Amino acid sequence: MLQFKYPATSKTFPLFCIQAGKELADVFKNNFIIVKSNSALHAYTGLELLSTAILILDCHLAVTYANPAAENLFAFSLKSVVGHPLQKCLPGNISLYAMLDQVRKNNAGFNENELALDLPGLGRPALHLACIASPAEGGHVVLECHPLDQQIKIAREEKILEHQQLNRELIRNLAHEIKNPLGGIRGSAQLLERELRDVGHHALNDLREYTQVIVKEADRLQALMDRLLTPHRRPKMGHINIHEVLERVRTLVLAEFPDDIRVQRDYDTSLPELYGDLEPLIQALLNVARNAAQAMSGAGEIRLVTRIARQVTLAKQRYRHAIMIHVVDNGPGVAEGLRDKVFYPLVSGREGGTGLGLSLAQNFINQHQGIIEFDSVPGKTCFTILLPVIDCASTLRAGK
């Protein structure tokens, strides 16, 4: 049995595709076996089994082969690109072609640990790849591409969770420190107001108004501190239909903004139930939807979308299914200066805002091992919430 060795993994794979008398196998210097055929489309059974994207280019950097992983990654088919220059198949990526040209001229391999590759015309963001280009016999070049998007996403999630944990501890300690003297301030103001009332002098009525201001502000701060400490209560777990949650959120938003806010629904009614804490989930989604309505100054459209996501990784754990929720608005978008800190507590882009809504939403979603992200351009802001479908309360990090 003929075999070839895949350099990036040092694994050996059988090559089943050689037919005697019809195809000739040439072993390249880097241990690849390339199968030559009278047909323009070669069969590389071993390469087709790899999850790594493989492109084989001729001496003119035209595509001679792309495995299925490459077809999926670059969104083209082998039949549509074979024989065409790679520059025509993936236009505009000058750094990639410079790297390949260097490999061809110097007959030496080249590694690029992080390469941003544009896919024009597909409406997709740039791909972040780790690329290995290796020379082969006859001036051919073998290009291996490993997507880094998943690694980047995992690293971003880890950073978010780390910042969130630090913020949560900071807020909890701060809330306790503020809450302790509030009782004394409020009690003292009430005693002072009682003394002023006993005096009964008309000129002291103005002073009583000041004491009432102190009491009201102390109550407001007390309510704010309670909101900050709420995530640390013991969860009440149960099976939840996410559409019942969204319908309640929709009702509350329309009640708060009855005039010019429209809430559209696009639900996948086949979604499974979640296992979680109902009230925090309602509060989290309500905070996101209310934030969207406030960003549009109470006039615009909000879309609530649900879909199933398969084989997702959240916080380094793989889940077979997750529920994906999109909250989309047609408002002005998130300001550029706020995008990196939109989930930070006490940070708000709205005058009079507390800066707690999205921070609390992130805390509640994280308690369900989920994640919340957003993408924003003027005219469209989409908050995406991923909640894993699990059926065991012990796997939840509630209360942390």
Side-chain angles (χ1 to χ4, degrees), residues 144-212:
E144 310 169 47
C145 297
H146 307 263
L148 296 177
D149 296 56
Q150 187 67 21
Q151 290 90 322
I152 293 174
K153 181 180 178 182
I154 292 174
R156 184 172 66 248
E157 289 178 2
E158 290 178 352
K159 184 177 180 181
I160 290 173
L161 292 175
E162 181 181 354
H163 285 174
Q164 183 184 357
Q165 185 176 0
L166 292 175
N167 288 334
R168 190 161 56 238
E169 291 301 320
L170 174 63
I171 289 176
R172 190 177 184 182
N173 293 334
L174 180 62
H176 278 298
E177 291 299 321
I178 295 175
K179 192 174 180 180
N180 289 335
L182 279 179
I185 294 174
R186 190 181 190 282
S188 298
Q190 288 177 317
L191 289 175
L192 180 59
E193 183 179 1
R194 187 180 304 167
E195 292 293 329
L196 294 174
R197 188 186 302 114
D198 293 341
V199 172
H201 195 283
H202 180 73
L204 299 179
N205 286 337
D206 291 340
L207 297 180
R208 290 173 56 193
E209 290 182 7
Y210 296 148
T211 60
Q212 291 173 4

Side-chain angles (χ1 to χ4, degrees), residues 47-63:
L47 293 178
E48 290 179 353
L49 299 176
L50 297 178
S51 60
T52 300
I54 303 291
L55 291 174
I56 298 179
L57 313 173
D58 65 14
C59 58
H60 301 293
L61 297 183
V63 179

Side-chain angles (χ1 to χ4, degrees), residues 69-107:
E71 293 179 282
N72 292 333
L73 181 63
F74 300 119
F76 56 48
S77 66
L78 175 58
K79 291 183 178 180
S80 67
V81 299
V82 69
H84 295 286
L86 184 62
Q87 191 164 4
K88 181 179 179 181
C89 305
L90 299 173
N93 296 286
I94 299 176
S95 57
L96 173 64
Y97 309 129
M99 178 183 76
L100 295 173
D101 193 54
Q102 180 179 342
V103 171
R104 183 183 59 177
K105 290 179 179 178
N106 299 336
N107 196 35

Side-chain angles (χ1 to χ4, degrees), residues 250-282:
R250 178 176 179 271
T251 301
L252 292 171
V253 170
L254 290 177
E256 187 173 350
F257 303 91
D259 297 327
D260 298 318
I261 286 290
R262 302 179 306 279
V263 181
Q264 305 294 333
R265 292 163 288 182
D266 181 4
Y267 295 162
D268 179 355
T269 56
S270 65
L271 294 181
E273 288 188 331
L274 290 170
Y275 188 79
D277 193 351
L278 178 62
E279 290 303 322
L281 280 179
I282 292 175

